[in-house]
Amino acid sequence: MSLAKSCLSELPAKVLFARQREFRQRICETARSHHYDAALINGSDMLWAVNELPLEIPTVLIAHNLEHQVLVLQLGSSRFFSRIFTREITKQRRYEIEGFRRAQGVIFVSRTDMAWGCTQVPGLQALCVPPMFTEPPIPRRRQPSGHLRLGYLADFAWWPNRQNWNWLINEILPKVHRSIVVHAFGRQSEQIPTRDRIVVHGFVHELGAVWDQVDIMICPVRTGAGVNIKLAESLYNRMPVLATTHALRGLDCQPRSGLAIIDSAEEWAAFLNSSQADQLATQSPSEELGRQFTTDRHMQKLENFLIEVALGREAMK
């Protein structure tokens, strides 16, 4: 319905979907009945909310990803709607850039996305804050096993994760000839296709239950936008990770002990068949690598950024 309405509107379909009358009224009433120093806009599909706020309230956009890039990925998987999606991509891109200009500040989760935003809007007041975790890292209790245990943690309700899963089971696993088991964790994982050597666990409430059942966390990501939060969470908890370059998009991570980066299906299979996989299973990412996802690393600069936006540059002098 929103996609159809978008054909007759200057606004993108995602914006029309979220911009409901009752929601707009609630935002307007709340903003006028309280005194706020600033308003945080959670995602660019919510940028329309700026129009419902008093002009004196500065706004900060939290850009989880670039929505028009998500549409580009959807276009690649749905040629039937290519003409409609092409128009939507153009509108969404223009809408996001205009939203960056209107916001007093933008907090990006991805370094790559921030670089794009600053190129499109020179002088943009921007800050990059990667995913952060407040709970102490959960140490794994690795148990000896007769086979290599791989863990894939994802929200399988999100279509890029299902595509990435299909690449793993169709292009990589058939070429792995050693004793191996893949454990799939996450929402709707019980609905994904399976084959031999795959164990599905569904949604898990405790990460310790994930770490204790696997030797290596894998991120066979070939499509998707923003940053891979599950990968960041694995590194924060010092779990060894095998990932693609795309999985590390927007994060400040380079291959080192406890982190292997490989891209093609043939290279993945060769790595998993080799002793390199066994060596990776014994390693842990460094404390420095995991520390970049702690609140202590970013809290002060985040606080300064918000104060500067809310009170103006004079407050920082």
Side-chain angles (χ1 to χ4, degrees), residues 189-200:
S189 58
E190 64 275 12
Q191 300 179 23
I192 58 178
T194 62
R195 57 172 64 206
D196 292 341
R197 305 188 291 178
I198 292 173
V199 179
V200 172

Side-chain angles (χ1 to χ4, degrees), residues 2 13-21 23-24 45-46 48:
S2 297
K14 283 193 172 184
V15 175
L16 292 172
F17 179 79
R19 187 174 172 266
Q20 301 299 319
R21 181 179 178 181
F23 195 8
R24 292 166 59 191
D45 56 339
M46 287 291 297
W48 55 267

Side-chain angles (χ1 to χ4, degrees), residues 206-235:
E206 298 292 336
L207 282 175
V210 177
W211 309 149
D212 291 346
Q213 296 186 67
V214 303
D215 301 308
I216 299 172
M217 294 300 294
I218 58 172
C219 297
V221 177
R222 303 177 73 217
T223 187
V227 301
N228 191 316
I229 295 178
K230 302 304 182 186
L231 182 146
E233 196 164 28
S234 296
L235 294 175

Side-chain angles (χ1 to χ4, degrees), residues 137 140 231-241 252-260 280 282-294 297:
R140 63 168 172 164
L231 182 146
E233 196 164 28
S234 296
L235 294 175
Y236 172 74
N237 284 278
R238 304 192 66 193
M239 286 293 296
V241 173
D252 184 17
C253 299
Q254 301 298 325
R256 61 187 77 180
S257 179
L259 174 61
L280 177 63
T282 66
Q283 299 173 349
S284 295
S286 68
E287 289 187 18
E288 177 60 28
L289 185 58
R291 198 178 299 128
Q292 67 176 296
F293 305 112
T294 63
R297 174 68 68 88

Side-chain angles (χ1 to χ4, degrees), residues 21-288:
R21 181 179 178 181
E22 296 79 6
F23 195 8
R24 292 166 59 191
Q25 289 178 339
R26 193 159 68 248
I27 291 173
C28 186
E29 292 170 359
T30 302
R32 282 161 175 75
S33 61
H34 297 76
H35 175 73
Y36 294 110
D37 295 317
L40 300 181
I41 307 296
N42 191 27
S44 60
D45 56 339
M46 287 291 297
L47 278 167
W48 55 267
V50 174
N51 296 326
E52 313 302 327
L53 299 171
L55 293 176
E56 65 270 16
I57 297 182
T59 56
V60 176
L61 169 66
I62 302 175
H64 300 281
N65 53 42
L66 298 176
E67 292 291 343
H68 74 274
Q69 291 186 354
V70 177
L71 289 174
V72 170
L73 297 173
Q74 290 177 319
L75 173 61
S77 63
S78 180
R79 296 295 180 185
F80 180 78
F81 295 105
S82 60
R83 183 172 298 180
I84 296 176
F85 271 127
T86 299
R87 289 198 299 266
E88 277 298 304
I89 291 167
T90 301
K91 284 200 291 186
Q92 184 69 51
R93 183 178 183 275
R94 186 184 305 122
Y95 183 81
E96 284 183 292
I97 292 174
E98 181 58 28
F100 291 169
R101 290 196 179 102
R102 294 184 63 187
Q104 279 68 51
V106 182
I107 299 173
F108 292 91
V109 182
S110 163
R111 294 159 61 96
T112 305
D113 292 351
M114 185 174 76
W116 183 89
C118 291
T119 299
Q120 300 300 315
V121 184
L124 178 67
Q125 190 168 357
L127 175 70
C128 182
V129 179
M132 296 185 294
F133 308 99
T134 57
E135 295 294 325
I138 303 172
R140 63 168 172 164
R141 297 184 293 271
R142 186 167 180 258
Q143 302 295 329
S145 174
H147 47 256
L148 185 66
R149 304 170 302 170
L150 307 179
Y152 190 3
L153 177 62
D155 179 1
F156 290 99
W158 180 227
W159 65 268
N161 289 332
R162 295 195 298 271
Q163 285 193 351
N164 296 327
W165 173 259
N166 289 336
W167 181 65
L168 172 70
I169 66 171
N170 294 325
E171 303 295 328
I172 298 174
L173 287 187
K175 300 171 185 174
V176 178
H177 306 301
R178 66 180 294 175
S179 179
I180 194 171
V181 175
V182 179
H183 294 266
F185 307 89
R187 186 164 69 111
Q188 292 191 16
S189 58
E190 64 275 12
Q191 300 179 23
I192 58 178
T194 62
R195 57 172 64 206
D196 292 341
R197 305 188 291 178
I198 292 173
V199 179
V200 172
H201 297 267
F203 183 81
V204 289
H205 295 276
E206 298 292 336
L207 282 175
V210 177
W211 309 149
D212 291 346
Q213 296 186 67
V214 303
D215 301 308
I216 299 172
M217 294 300 294
I218 58 172
C219 297
V221 177
R222 303 177 73 217
T223 187
V227 301
N228 191 316
I229 295 178
K230 302 304 182 186
L231 182 146
E233 196 164 28
S234 296
L235 294 175
Y236 172 74
N237 284 278
R238 304 192 66 193
M239 286 293 296
V241 173
L242 171 60
T244 59
T245 300
H246 193 91
L248 293 160
R249 178 185 180 277
L251 297 174
D252 184 17
C253 299
Q254 301 298 325
R256 61 187 77 180
S257 179
L259 174 61
I261 304 174
I262 304 173
D263 287 316
S264 73
E266 291 73 18
E267 290 173 320
W268 269 65
F271 182 90
L272 291 173
N273 280 319
S274 73
S275 60
Q276 290 177 288
D278 300 291
Q279 182 178 3
L280 177 63
T282 66
Q283 299 173 349
S284 295
S286 68
E287 289 187 18
E288 177 60 28

